[in-house]
Amino acid sequence: MKKIEIITRPHKLDEVKDALTKLGIKGLSVSEIKGFGRQRGHKEVYRGAEYQVDFVPKVRIEVVVEDDLVRGVLEEVQKVARTGKVGDGKIFVSPIEEVVRIRTGETGESAI
């Protein structure tokens, strides 16, 4: 099993969710986050004063999948989340040793 963490633009959330659903992903977690990388924030004007906004709003989507779904998830997410501009985000893949469904006690892939 692998945990896939997708950090992308907030307006791409629905497209990514729909792509994951079509692949058979049954559940995911979403967090609103802020960060910067090469995008380096942006400048805004408030009441005539210009100031630098260093952290840009992003969303983090977390999903745990079976090993055989990883390649498809990576390909689909890249397809729908890519705008071609700086700030499209990143995808991180990490191994998961164990999963336990608290309600039933199921473990492993059946708990996903």
Side-chain angles (χ1 to χ4, degrees):
M1 293 175 290
K2 301 284 191 232
K3 177 181 178 184
I4 301 176
E5 230 177 292
I6 304 156
I7 298 176
T8 191
R9 301 172 188 269
H11 70 274
K12 290 292 187 175
L13 175 60
D14 286 335
E15 293 176 58
V16 172
K17 180 188 67 90
D18 292 343
L20 293 174
T21 302
K22 286 178 185 173
L23 289 171
I25 307 297
K26 296 178 183 90
L28 54 87
S29 298
V30 177
S31 306
E32 293 180 4
I33 61 172
K34 292 183 180 189
F36 75 90
R38 291 185 181 165
Q39 198 171 5
R40 297 282 186 221
H42 60 278
K43 291 186 177 168
E44 289 188 3
V45 177
Y46 179 71
R47 294 189 177 189
E50 188 176 281
Y51 63 97
Q52 180 71 24
V53 177
D54 291 327
F55 294 101
V56 179
K58 301 285 183 183
V59 292
R60 178 175 46 222
I61 304 162
E62 296 173 285
V63 61
V64 176
V65 300
E66 297 90 356
D67 290 334
D68 59 337
L69 289 177
V70 173
R71 184 62 39 210
V73 169
L74 295 178
E75 290 171 0
E76 285 301 309
V77 169
Q78 288 179 75
K79 190 186 317 178
V80 299
R82 179 179 290 139
T83 67
K85 298 177 183 168
V86 173
D88 277 349
K90 297 255 188 332
I91 303 172
F92 302 99
V93 180
S94 307
I96 295 292
E97 291 185 29
E98 187 63 75
V99 176
V100 177
R101 184 184 310 266
I102 295 172
R103 179 178 54 87
T104 63
E106 292 173 279
T107 61
E109 291 183 2
S110 63
I112 298 178

